Amino acid sequence: VELHANASGKSSEQMIASMNGTSNFAVKNGWVEGVDLNYLIKTASALINKQPAAMPTERLDRTLFDSFTGSANIRNGIAATNDISLVSPALLANATGSVNLSTQAINMEVRVTPKLEVMKSAIMIPVAITGTVQRPDARLETNALSSVIAKQKVDEVKAKVRNEIKRHVPGKTGE
């Protein structure tokens, strides 16, 4: 972890709220406590396949990772990022958003892509993380997931139509 920052104030609260600078981090082989992205993948898979969702008792409330990296620009105590990356045996995740260093409030948009061994298709699963650093609240963005699924279905139909045209129309007309 690397931090380059300036702050001023008479208390730690004032110093945190006035902090400006940058931070970079790279962590190997650990876990993110309070966020179970694997459970959310299972839930999304159940929604996509019109199956019952996994039971909450199956949640670990943590996501194991091989690599967790990112950077943040800190302005007036708000750390904003657009390049968080998490790699685990089951998924790849990228996140953008912010953390209020004074209140510890999180506001992150995460794009989770399960590895093909985990799900039959590598669909991007949108997740929102809010709450606080101590008590994060991760949930599927079901409206965004529905849009992703619809786009995937449209792309599949387009591909089938193109293939049929190529089969029945010789030459460049079908391409």
Side-chain angles (χ1 to χ4, degrees):
V1 177
E2 186 177 322
L3 173 67
H4 299 283
N6 297 313
S8 62
K10 294 183 180 183
S11 68
S12 61
E13 292 84 10
Q14 288 175 343
M15 292 179 73
I16 290 170
S18 72
M19 187 179 295
N20 293 298
T22 60
S23 177
N24 297 299
F25 67 91
V27 182
K28 299 242 183 253
N29 303 317
W31 64 85
V32 176
E33 192 69 35
V35 176
D36 189 347
L37 294 177
N38 293 303
Y39 174 79
L40 294 173
I41 289 172
K42 290 176 188 173
T43 303
S45 179
L47 289 170
I48 292 166
N49 296 309
K50 298 180 173 96
Q51 300 292 320
M55 297 303 295
T57 57
E58 297 174 27
R59 292 183 79 152
L60 294 177
D61 279 336
R62 71 171 53 160
T63 300
L64 300 173
F65 61 80
D66 297 326
S67 170
F68 186 36
T69 62
S71 66
N73 289 314
I74 305 164
R75 184 165 172 87
N76 297 323
I78 308 290
T81 183
N82 64 3
D83 67 351
I84 289 180
S85 174
L86 183 141
V87 178
S88 86
L91 61 92
L92 305 172
N94 295 294
T96 60
S98 64
V99 175
N100 182 318
L101 300 177
S102 294
T103 64
Q104 301 288 292
I106 302 171
N107 184 11
M108 291 281 175
E109 293 180 16
V110 184
R111 293 161 311 286
V112 180
T113 305
K115 293 189 177 171
L116 287 176
E117 309 85 65
V118 177
M119 261 178 87
K120 292 178 184 171
S121 64
I123 191 168
M124 186 278 299
I125 300 170
V127 173
I129 301 177
T130 56
T132 64
V133 171
Q134 296 80 13
R135 294 188 64 120
D137 178 26
R139 66 189 179 287
L140 285 175
E141 289 291 331
T142 53
N143 288 340
L145 181 60
S146 295
S147 295
V148 169
I149 294 166
K151 182 184 179 320
Q152 183 182 34
K153 299 257 186 232
V154 167
D155 290 346
E156 289 171 4
V157 170
K158 284 181 182 178
K160 285 180 184 177
V161 168
R162 275 191 216 101
N163 288 336
E164 285 299 311
I165 290 171
K166 285 179 184 178
R167 270 185 20 166
H168 297 298
V169 181
K172 292 198 178 268
T173 309
E175 293 181 13

